Each structure stands twice: as C-alpha cells, then as structure tokens.
Amino acid sequence: METRVTRLLGIEKPVLQGGMAWVSEGRLAAAVSNAGGLGIIACGAAEPEWVEEQVKLARSLTDKPIGCNVMMMSPYVAQIAPMLAELKVDVITTGAGSPSDYIPIWKEAGCKVVPVIPSAALAKRMERIGADAVVAEGCESGGHIGELTTMALIPAVCEAVSIPVIAAGGIADGRGLLAAFALGAEGVQMGTRFLASEECRVAQAYKDKVVAAKDSDTIVTGRAGGHPVRQLKNAFARKVKAAESESGAAEELVLAGSLRRAVEGDVTGGSMMAGQIACLVKEQKTCKQIIDDLFEQVEAWSGLSLQQMADRNASRSWFCGEGGE
Amino acid sequence: METRVTRLLGIEKPVLQGGMAWVSEGRLAAAVSNAGGLGIIACGAAEPEWVEEQVKLARSLTDKPIGCNVMMMSPYVAQIAPMLAELKVDVITTGAGSPSDYIPIWKEAGCKVVPVIPSAALAKRMERIGADAVVAEGCESGGHIGELTTMALIPAVCEAVSIPVIAAGGIADGRGLLAAFALGAEGVQMGTRFLASEECRVAQAYKDKVVAAKDSDTIVTGRAGGHPVRQLKNAFARKVKAAESESGAAEELVLAGSLRRAVEGDVTGGSMMAGQIACLVKEQKTCKQIIDDLFEQVEAWSGLSLQQMADRNASRSWFCGEGGE
C-alpha cells in the first residue's frame, strides 16, 4: 500500500516508531526501519555526540530512511538542529516547542519535518511554517501528553490542515490502526508497542511491566504543574502523586532522572513511561514481528462493511496474535 | 443493518443517546427513538414523579423502545429503581455506582440492563452480575468521566467480556462510529451530538456554545477531588479550576446547581458539560437529521480498504454534512 505518508517519508508501511527519550536509540530505530516502518532516534536532552553516534549506528544497520525526534527544550538544541541537517537525517519529528527557527535549514538539507502536536491550532501553525506532515498525538499516549484524545484530535486536526496527519496515542494493533484511518489519518505512530520489542534497550523488568499492564495501570502525574506525564503505576508514581496533592506542583524536580532509572531496570523507583494501550501489548516481539502482525491484522479486517465488523465483533474473532485465540 | 445491540434493544440503528442529567428528558428521548436510535431519559437526582412523568411523555410521543439512565447515587434511587420495573422501561442504563441490587427486579420485568463503565474490570463485574451489554465510555466524553480514552478502552473491554460493547466518548459523526466498530464495538452512544439537537431542552445559548466549540475548548475540573467533570471552558469553569489549585478539592460544593444553570441559559456562571467532540458538532439539527446524516456517512465509508481510506483522507473527501462542502 501507498499513502502520502509512505511516499513522503520513503517507507514501505505507514508506521512510525515514536521518539522516546532514553529509550529509542539507533538500534531500535534501525530495526523498525528495516521492518518497513520509520525508526526514530529520540534526542531528548542527550548531548550532540551521543545523537551523532546513534545516527551513525542506525545508518550502519540499515539503508532505509531513519528519523530523529528533537525535543525543542533540550539544552543542546542549537547544536543538534544544524547537526541533523548536516547528517541529512531523512525525517525530523519535533516536540516540546516550536521548530520554526530550524525548519529552513532542515528543509534545505532535504529533511522532512514532522512536528508532534496536541491540538488543531498547533497543527495549523506548523503547516503554515512549512511542516511536511504532523503527528497528532492523543493523551492516551505515554510520556508527556496533551489534553485531547485520539478520537477527538485526529478528525479535528484533519479538518484544520491539508498536510498528512499521522495518528499517535492508543494504537498497538490492527484495530487501532484501522480506527485511526477511519478518523482521517494517513499513517500511525506507535511508542508503547515498540517499547516492548526485542530490540528496545529498556530493561527486561520494564518491558515485563508493559506486557503485564491492564487498562487501568497507567497514571498521569504533573497535571498541577502543567506538564502532565503518563506512566505505569508504581511506588514512584504514587510518591509523585502524593507530593502533588500536598504541595501542588513540586513534581518537576522529582522527575529528573526518573525515566532513566526505569530504563535501567528500577521498576519501583523509576518512572516507567507508557501509554494506556499497554493493555493490548501482550507479548514481547521483534520489531519485524510487530509490524508484520499489525499488517496481517489490517489486511484481514480492511474493507469490512459496518455489518461485517459488527459480526466479527460479536464473535470476538479479532483475537489473533498478541496472546489471543 | 442488525447488530447484537439492535436486536437486544429492539432498535433499528445501533445508536444510543447518552443519558444527560437535566438535559435528556422525555421529548429528546422520544425524538431519538422515533429516528431509529434509543432515546434515554436521565433520572439524575430528579424526583420519582418527574421521572414517571417523562417516561409517560416519551411513551405518548413514540411507540418505539425508550431507555432511562439511573444515577445510582441519586437520593431517590430506591424509589426510582422499582418504579422503572413497574413502568417496564425497555432499557435501563446505569452510572455512578453498581446496579447489582436492582438487576434482578429489572430483568424480571423484562428491562434490558446496560451499565455505563470506564474500565475492563468493571465491565467484567457487570457481565458477571447479569448485565445485557455495557456502554464503555471514554474520558473524552462530557460530564463525569473516567481515566481511559475510547481508543484504549473499547478493545480492552471487548477482550474482557462477551456481551456487546457500546462505545461512547468522542463520537459525533460517521468517522467516529466506524472507528468505534473497528475497535470492537457493536453500537455507539452519543451525548454531545444530541445536546445540540433541535429537540434538546437546553437553552439556545448553551447549544450555540457547543456548536462553536473548538477542539481545545473543554476543560476537566474536579480531578483533585476524585470526581472529574468535563465541560466547556467559561468563567465558571475557570473559577472552579482556580479554587481547586488553591484548596485542593473544594469543587464539589461549587458544582451543585451549576449544570442546571447552564441548561437554563447561564453560559457564564453555569457548567456547560460537553465532550471534546463538540469540535465536530457544527450545526444544530433534528435528532432524525443527526441519525440520518450519521448513517449516510457510514454507508459511504463502510467497506473501504485501508488504501481507499488513505486516499479518501488525502483528499479530505469525508467533509460532508456538518458544515463541510
């Protein structure tokens, strides 16, 4: 299949792996790109040297396009942004601020620019300053989140802009992908599903928690301080929550280093960022298996009429892969 | 079309109008039922006499099935619950607590019982105590909300129970309905869309605000106190929000009577409960027009392959009805 997203990004399948700070580095990105999607290295607040290393690592592992996610509030953004242009990284996604200062140099270098946005107004602004597409991310996703859910956000953004809309938040299998396309998306981005992939660097204990999570196992901290973060419930998250209800918004300090601790295996004292859709992630797989299974489901369910979907749903016959059947 | 939901409830189209306290009374319910969906009278905290009056009013206006939504925390629940059995109300949906005490008398009277639930665990419990179906409601909806979004909740609930799942939250047009079915639903419930119907009793000023709302125009108050409520942003909501960040959880007192004020036309000092999907509600219509337009869209888009959806989305050709084209 071909959508504007596959053509724009030069990929086989309209699936992006979400940039996850401390989590998605060169090896994961290369694995996703090799499987036909777009792998994305998260720059987070990392130093330029690390980012360059990861880009080179990914390039040594794949000849497919790769992406980098730039966190605009990174202390190194002024060095990283031009470096990505020099490295001619195929796709640059951005978050936590406006990429307007860097869009000209990125586009001149041939990089595609795809900001991650939480509302129609920001999507419009990004289109106006030259974005090639947007990732519209619903608040069911893991990590830093906005207010709108994927169900409301995708159609609202699609009505606001003409560039392709890639849906993120709440997508882990064929049902989610088809729902996203029903809402107007031309591609999807998944983070949590790839968090529990073989190639992901996070500690096995963290992956195990993602695989074991039920629907109500995530919690949002930081709302009071204006920087809400979704993560799996654990002792750490409960401590932050308790601190919040006492002092209002002291969570920012507590958070520093907490994700890194979880990535390294501290599933009690670290922040295990993950989306609500962890409830549908039931086994650890390779990135190739994740993408192959996704499109196997999609092929089986694509083209069903409403009546056929209702019949399928009544028999729960969409149980397949992911521990079902 | 026929789904387990249409057969169970004896309706033509798998669409329920969400029970909205102070908002959905006999006239609105009858209009929805006459249009082929299921109209639902919200008992809220109203007195039994009012509920009986509204059921009789609805029955005088339609010979189709009608429903009542029972708010389990109502001070009158012990009187209303048996009364609905005597009145042989076709369908009873429930919220804000467990209906376990009343399910036997309702089922004996032939009423179908459909609890509204926010998680897979509660859905499971409701199935165990005899529910005929569940409404799984995502947190994008208006009024009192849970934590899970529709994208994550629907598949999780569908995997937890065998009874039919009706999706609510974030649905206002054919895109939302198809997405809900893609996720596993066999019916949908819409509240906000019917709030801006001709037959709805709320003041014109309130409907106008729903029609004018953008995607980011709702706000959630009451999270600190454990009773989150989604409403349109206005002076009242901002006041509650400010009080919350000062005192933690004083919002419950402030809320008393606030919805009623909005229903009567006070769009500044009242609480205009509405869901995020107000952004897709662009004109006031009759209930019949709402349901007819919904299924016209669904018929046009049902059965599309992923590729066809992508092509449709690229051309934004799903703009129809609702102010598009």
Side-chain angles (χ1 to χ4, degrees):
Chain A
M1 75 168 305
E2 255 195 27
T3 77
R4 290 198 297 173
V5 170
T6 61
R7 284 193 296 270
L8 175 70
L9 308 182
I11 55 180
E12 281 164 55
K13 292 183 172 128
V15 177
L16 286 68
Q17 159 255 310
M20 298 173 275
W22 293 110
V23 172
S24 58
E25 24 68 289
R27 200 166 73 101
L28 178 63
V32 173
S33 289
N34 276 329
L38 181 76
I40 295 178
I41 296 160
C43 301
E47 294 180 3
E49 293 70 31
W50 181 88
V51 174
E52 186 175 8
E53 201 180 285
Q54 295 303 320
V55 170
K56 288 183 172 162
L57 173 63
R59 289 240 165 99
S60 75
L61 297 170
T62 184
D63 54 3
K64 305 274 176 70
I66 56 154
C68 281
N69 176 264
V70 179
M71 203 269 281
M72 301 309 299
M73 283 170 66
S74 160
Y76 304 107
V77 68
Q79 291 143 269
I80 287 175
M83 187 185 80
L84 298 181
E86 274 163 46
L87 291 168
K88 294 192 183 300
V89 165
D90 307 272
V91 182
I92 297 175
T93 66
T94 64
S98 172
S100 57
D101 288 351
Y102 305 109
I103 288 187
I105 56 165
W106 289 338
K107 299 203 80 164
E108 205 180 325
C111 315
K112 302 300 175 192
V113 182
V114 185
V116 180
I117 50 86
S119 70
L122 269 174
K124 241 181 158 120
R125 198 172 142 216
M126 292 301 113
E127 179 176 55
R128 206 180 311 125
I129 65 174
D132 295 294
V134 287
V135 173
E137 187 176 73
C139 62
E140 45 272 86
S141 63
H144 287 85
I145 57 172
E147 287 292 332
L148 287 157
T149 74
T150 298
M151 284 288 280
L153 179 63
I154 304 306
V157 170
C158 288
E159 294 191 4
V161 300
S162 304
I163 52 177
V165 176
I166 296 155
I171 303 164
D173 68 10
R175 287 169 288 184
L177 189 146
L178 285 164
F181 275 62
L183 295 171
E186 294 170 60
V188 298
Q189 176 172 290
M190 306 194 299
T192 305
R193 178 55 276 198
F194 288 113
L195 191 55
S197 66
E198 294 293 342
E199 296 91 341
C200 179
R201 68 168 287 202
V202 309
Q204 189 59 44
Y206 187 169
K207 294 184 194 178
D208 291 346
K209 292 287 185 188
V210 171
V211 168
K214 298 189 304 294
D215 60 345
S216 50
D217 282 346
T218 74
I219 187 170
V220 177
T221 59
R223 273 205 179 102
H227 296 286
V229 169
R230 185 179 301 283
Q231 56 198 294
L232 294 179
K233 289 176 182 168
N234 67 354
F236 173 79
R238 274 185 286 268
K239 194 176 77 182
V240 175
K241 209 63 185 163
E244 275 176 32
S245 51
E246 273 169 38
S247 67
E251 84 291 339
E252 287 299 303
L253 290 171
V254 195
L255 261 163
S258 63
L259 170 59
R260 187 173 192 175
R261 286 199 300 277
V263 168
E264 287 164 0
D266 183 356
V267 296
T268 317
S271 172
M272 291 182 286
M273 298 188 188
Q276 290 185 346
I277 211 65
C279 62
L280 296 195
V281 174
K282 291 166 199 161
E283 25 170 333
Q284 188 168 316
K285 303 180 191 175
T286 63
C287 292
K288 181 166 172 10
Q289 202 60 51
I290 289 169
I291 293 183
D292 286 353
D293 287 356
L294 180 67
F295 281 89
E296 197 183 308
Q297 295 171 340
V298 166
E299 262 166 53
W301 303 332
S302 165
L304 297 187
S305 68
L306 194 70
Q307 182 66 61
Q308 287 170 320
M309 282 198 275
D311 296 342
R312 174 199 68 168
N313 295 346
S315 66
R316 300 295 195 264
S317 57
W318 29 256
F319 273 108
C320 63
E322 293 288 314
E325 286 188 323
Chain B
M1 75 167 307
E2 252 194 30
T3 78
R4 290 199 297 174
V5 170
T6 60
R7 284 193 295 270
L8 175 71
L9 308 182
I11 54 181
E12 280 165 55
K13 291 181 172 134
V15 177
L16 285 67
Q17 159 254 310
M20 299 173 275
W22 293 111
V23 171
S24 58
E25 24 71 287
R27 200 165 73 99
L28 177 63
V32 173
S33 290
N34 276 329
L38 181 76
I40 295 179
I41 295 161
C43 301
E47 295 180 3
E49 294 70 32
W50 181 87
V51 174
E52 185 175 8
E53 200 180 285
Q54 295 304 320
V55 170
K56 289 184 171 163
L57 172 63
R59 288 241 164 100
S60 75
L61 297 169
T62 184
D63 54 3
K64 305 274 177 68
I66 55 154
C68 281
N69 176 264
V70 179
M71 203 269 279
M72 299 311 299
M73 283 169 66
S74 160
Y76 305 107
V77 69
Q79 291 145 268
I80 287 175
M83 187 185 79
L84 298 181
E86 273 164 49
L87 290 168
K88 295 191 182 299
V89 165
D90 307 272
V91 182
I92 297 176
T93 67
T94 64
S98 172
S100 56
D101 288 350
Y102 305 108
I103 287 187
I105 55 166
W106 288 338
K107 297 202 81 163
E108 206 179 326
C111 315
K112 303 301 177 193
V113 182
V114 185
V116 181
I117 51 86
S119 70
L122 269 174
K124 240 180 158 117
R125 198 173 142 214
M126 292 301 113
E127 180 176 54
R128 205 180 312 127
I129 63 174
D132 295 293
V134 287
V135 173
E137 186 175 76
C139 62
E140 45 272 85
S141 63
H144 286 86
I145 57 172
E147 288 291 332
L148 288 157
T149 73
T150 298
M151 284 287 280
L153 179 63
I154 304 306
V157 171
C158 288
E159 294 191 3
V161 299
S162 304
I163 52 177
V165 176
I166 296 156
I171 304 164
D173 67 10
R175 287 169 288 183
L177 189 145
L178 285 164
F181 275 61
L183 295 170
E186 294 171 59
V188 297
Q189 176 172 290
M190 306 194 299
T192 305
R193 178 55 275 197
F194 288 114
L195 190 56
S197 66
E198 294 292 342
E199 296 90 341
C200 179
R201 68 170 286 203
V202 309
Q204 188 60 45
Y206 187 169
K207 294 183 195 179
D208 291 347
K209 292 287 184 187
V210 171
V211 168
K214 298 187 304 293
D215 60 345
S216 51
D217 282 347
T218 73
I219 188 170
V220 177
T221 60
R223 272 206 179 102
H227 296 286
V229 169
R230 185 178 301 284
Q231 57 199 293
L232 295 178
K233 288 177 182 168
N234 67 356
F236 172 80
R238 274 186 286 269
K239 195 176 75 182
V240 175
K241 209 63 185 161
E244 274 175 32
S245 51
E246 274 170 36
S247 66
E251 84 290 341
E252 287 299 303
L253 289 171
V254 195
L255 262 163
S258 62
L259 171 59
R260 186 172 193 174
R261 287 199 300 278
V263 168
E264 287 164 359
D266 183 356
V267 296
T268 317
S271 171
M272 290 183 286
M273 297 188 190
Q276 289 186 346
I277 212 65
C279 63
L280 296 195
V281 174
K282 292 165 196 160
E283 26 170 331
Q284 188 169 318
K285 301 181 192 176
T286 62
C287 292
K288 182 169 169 13
Q289 202 61 53
I290 289 170
I291 293 183
D292 286 353
D293 287 356
L294 180 66
F295 281 89
E296 196 183 308
Q297 295 171 339
V298 166
E299 264 167 50
W301 304 332
S302 165
L304 297 186
S305 68
L306 194 70
Q307 182 66 62
Q308 287 170 320
M309 280 198 277
D311 296 341
R312 173 200 69 170
N313 296 346
S315 66
R316 300 295 195 265
S317 57
W318 29 256
F319 273 109
C320 62
E322 293 291 312
E325 285 188 322

